[in-house]
Amino acid sequence: MQTDRWHFPVWLWYALLCIFWWGLWGFLSKIGSAAASPLQMQILFTLGMLPVAVGMLLQMRWKLDRDPRGVTYGILCGVATGLGTLGYYAALREQNVSLVTPVTGLFPVLTVVLAVVVLRERLNKVQMGGMLLALASIVIFSI
């Protein structure tokens, strides 16, 4: 008798680690934004990422891929993240972290819209409903 044992997918471990670290980041950002300007928080955030980048470079034995598309999109991701984080820090100076974080956490809505429009990905009805509920949550959070 063969039993198919369910296993915890590796990607889900990574996603849970992401939730943990980003959740901690959001909390620490609120505390830091009370003492530092959004610009300073962004600079310090970038400096804080340097040890992580060095660790990854060590893991890769200092060999980076040189594909121009990969390099271009990697740099564009950094610019977009930096600008988004700057907006996040600015919002934290004006509002509670318990409101700012869930609203800014809706960034995947834009990602999905771009994936549908540009990459021609498709959503089923349940996924579309989820998107609409996510957008409705902005209104609910702002009440």
Side-chain angles (χ1 to χ4, degrees), residues 66-128:
R66 293 194 171 104
D67 180 321
R69 272 185 73 193
V71 171
T72 299
Y73 283 106
I75 290 171
L76 287 173
C77 285
V79 170
T81 299
L83 292 171
T85 306
L86 188 58
Y88 179 75
Y89 293 140
L92 287 177
R93 299 229 355 149
E94 303 295 325
Q95 188 53 262
N96 294 334
V97 69
S98 58
L99 178 60
V100 171
T101 301
V103 171
T104 58
L106 293 171
F107 71 89
V109 171
L110 176 59
T111 303
V112 171
V113 168
L114 290 171
V116 168
V117 172
V118 177
L119 302 177
R120 307 271 190 233
E121 293 185 9
R122 295 179 182 219
L123 298 178
N124 63 35
K125 290 178 184 179
V126 173
Q127 293 165 330
M128 287 293 282

Side-chain angles (χ1 to χ4, degrees), residues 42-61:
Q42 180 59 40
I43 292 165
L44 296 171
F45 167 82
T46 302
L47 292 174
M49 289 187 64
L50 289 177
V52 176
V54 169
M56 290 184 287
L57 282 169
L58 288 171
Q59 172 95 18
M60 297 170 59
R61 296 188 172 106

